[in-house]
Amino acid sequence: MTKYIVKSGDTLYSIATRILGNPALVGEIKKNNNLNSDNLKLGMELLLPVKTKPKSVTTNVPISVEQKTKSVPNNIESEPVPFLIGDKFYYKNENGTQIEIGSKRPKGIMRVGQLNPEKFAIENSALLNSLKLTSSEIKVLSGVSKNEGNLDAINSWDNAFFSWGMFQWTIGTLSAQGELPALLKLIQSQKPALFQTYFGKFGISISSVTSDITGFLILDKQEVNNPTIKERFRDPIWAMRFIQAGLNPEIASIQILFAVNRLNRFYFKNETALGGVSLSKLLNSEYAVGLLLDNHVNRPAWVVPCVVKAIGELGLSFNDLSNADDATEGLVIERYLQIRETYQAPKSSTKPMTHAKQRGEKIANSGLSKQRNSFLSGSKNRSV
């Protein structure tokens, strides 16, 4: 056994991952220290399992080790170099422990990730509260996260070139802007030192065209605004770097803040199609907000049309719904769920919402309140 003193921001998951290189050791840490919960106190002394060296690879296992070459972007001398064993990429941390990056694909890497947003939120409530995120917002996001990804998820194999995090924020297809630069912009403003540690020192900065929603990264002083430079992010070393960033509790908390801020883009905006009011005036239970956010992540342009159609088919007015009771909102939500399963905008080639029924069922089982006005936003108390 070795001793470890709990530091600010530590969780059992982060200790098992960062110190021991294996998140599966959380249970063993709890057993060794007679812990009945995942809660840790600052300064607590933990007994950790002795780290073991990774097993050597036998000659009959196919292995290809990527050496430091000019194709590896901005590799610094002390940084690990990704290597391939079979169909998976790995790197070795500072303790020599072998860490999986993800599965090899023809164009890049796929990683589901390990840091679950719901579990993270439970273990890091104080950190999220410091960002003025309400418990209601965190509950809604935890529900939606059941349909999305983990905080350290990676996709560098499809036509978006590179995606990261719980909502798979991308650098953008072809020459288009993406949401990932806007997330990194928020990280830079909130945690500048961490931005430099995980991104800046590798030549990443943020283009001046980047808004709070979308934009471009800058890599080595060149704007990442075309397929040629975006292709560079398929290199496994970028997956490794973003994984390490995603596992940092403070950066993970900014991811959650960025995800919650998505509501500012549609939920609180007055809409002509809604009689000049916002969705927040019409549907405001935690359950309703979870479903609407889930819809916006998957088919953003179809949220309002689906709600309008549901209200109309029930013969209600917008004013009726503004002053409705729980039962009436429940009827609208029930009809809305049916509509979003098959809704397709007129003259649009975009298919209906992906797995709409299954996504709705997962959120229905997330413990979100169905009472009117149960969703409490902290957006007015935040500067971002």
Side-chain angles (χ1 to χ4, degrees), residues 261-306:
N261 283 348
R262 193 182 189 96
L263 291 170
N264 298 335
R265 293 162 53 179
F266 75 99
Y267 183 66
F268 298 107
K269 290 177 61 178
N270 292 336
E271 298 279 356
T272 302
L274 296 172
V277 300
S278 66
L279 284 167
S280 64
K281 301 296 183 183
L282 303 179
L283 301 168
N284 43 46
S285 66
E286 289 178 347
Y287 178 52
V289 175
L291 292 171
L292 295 173
L293 180 58
D294 177 61
N295 198 161
H296 196 269
V297 171
N298 195 267
R299 293 288 187 272
W302 295 358
V303 177
V304 170
C306 285

Side-chain angles (χ1 to χ4, degrees), residues 9 59 67 78 118 368 370:
T59 55
Q67 302 298 330
S78 61
E118 184 175 19
L368 299 177
K370 295 184 178 181

Side-chain angles (χ1 to χ4, degrees), residues 157-228:
W157 57 270
D158 67 10
N159 63 359
F161 299 98
F162 189 88
S163 307
W164 175 56
M166 61 181 294
F167 281 3
Q168 287 292 280
W169 294 290
T170 80
I171 57 174
T173 57
L174 299 175
S175 298
Q177 296 187 8
E179 291 182 304
L180 183 55
L183 169 56
L184 264 61
K185 178 182 177 181
L186 183 60
I187 293 172
Q188 185 180 46
S189 68
Q190 294 290 302
K191 306 289 180 182
L194 288 178
F195 178 88
Q196 179 60 26
T197 296
Y198 288 104
F199 309 108
K201 72 179 182 182
F202 302 117
I204 291 288
S205 58
I206 311 300
S207 170
S208 60
V209 306
T210 302
S211 67
D212 293 336
I213 300 174
T214 60
F216 290 122
L217 296 177
I218 291 175
L219 177 60
D220 298 335
K221 301 182 180 180
Q222 182 180 354
E223 193 170 73
V224 184
N225 60 8
N226 63 75
T228 300

Side-chain angles (χ1 to χ4, degrees), residues 26-232:
V26 167
E28 189 171 344
I29 297 174
K30 291 176 70 172
K31 181 179 179 181
N32 291 343
N33 294 276
N34 297 317
L35 299 176
N36 296 320
S37 74
D38 291 341
N39 295 327
L40 298 177
K41 294 182 180 180
L42 189 65
M44 177 188 292
E45 183 176 277
L46 296 177
L47 291 176
L48 302 183
V50 176
K51 296 183 288 294
T52 58
K53 295 182 180 180
K55 295 180 181 179
S56 59
V57 181
T58 58
T59 55
N60 63 341
V61 178
I63 178 169
S64 170
V65 180
E66 294 197 355
Q67 302 298 330
K68 294 181 183 179
T69 68
K70 63 180 180 180
S71 66
V72 179
N74 293 330
N75 181 266
I76 60 176
E77 188 173 347
S78 61
E79 186 181 25
V81 178
F83 55 93
L84 185 65
I85 301 179
D87 64 349
K88 295 183 183 297
F89 281 99
Y90 299 85
Y91 71 94
K92 291 184 179 179
N93 68 9
E94 58 188 13
N95 298 317
T97 304
Q98 189 167 287
I99 309 295
E100 182 179 327
I101 296 175
S103 300
K104 184 180 183 297
R105 291 293 185 269
K107 288 188 176 182
I109 285 176
M110 183 188 75
R111 175 187 173 89
V112 175
Q114 300 171 334
L115 188 53
N116 175 268
E118 184 175 19
K119 180 177 175 61
F120 175 83
I122 292 171
E123 294 181 348
N124 294 272
S125 57
L127 186 57
L128 296 177
N129 290 340
S130 72
L131 295 174
K132 295 183 172 57
L133 288 162
T134 68
S135 60
S136 189
E137 289 171 325
I138 294 169
K139 282 175 63 181
V140 164
L141 201 65
S142 295
V144 176
S145 73
K146 294 179 184 297
N147 291 322
E148 294 302 320
N150 291 322
L151 292 155
D152 57 323
I154 297 288
N155 174 359
S156 61
W157 57 270
D158 67 10
N159 63 359
F161 299 98
F162 189 88
S163 307
W164 175 56
M166 61 181 294
F167 281 3
Q168 287 292 280
W169 294 290
T170 80
I171 57 174
T173 57
L174 299 175
S175 298
Q177 296 187 8
E179 291 182 304
L180 183 55
L183 169 56
L184 264 61
K185 178 182 177 181
L186 183 60
I187 293 172
Q188 185 180 46
S189 68
Q190 294 290 302
K191 306 289 180 182
L194 288 178
F195 178 88
Q196 179 60 26
T197 296
Y198 288 104
F199 309 108
K201 72 179 182 182
F202 302 117
I204 291 288
S205 58
I206 311 300
S207 170
S208 60
V209 306
T210 302
S211 67
D212 293 336
I213 300 174
T214 60
F216 290 122
L217 296 177
I218 291 175
L219 177 60
D220 298 335
K221 301 182 180 180
Q222 182 180 354
E223 193 170 73
V224 184
N225 60 8
N226 63 75
T228 300
I229 189 168
K230 288 181 180 182
E231 194 73 28
R232 293 176 61 184

Side-chain angles (χ1 to χ4, degrees), residues 224-245:
V224 184
N225 60 8
N226 63 75
T228 300
I229 189 168
K230 288 181 180 182
E231 194 73 28
R232 293 176 61 184
F233 282 86
R234 296 195 195 276
D235 191 301
I237 203 166
W238 285 113
M240 180 188 75
R241 290 165 176 168
F242 274 83
I243 289 166
Q244 292 172 335

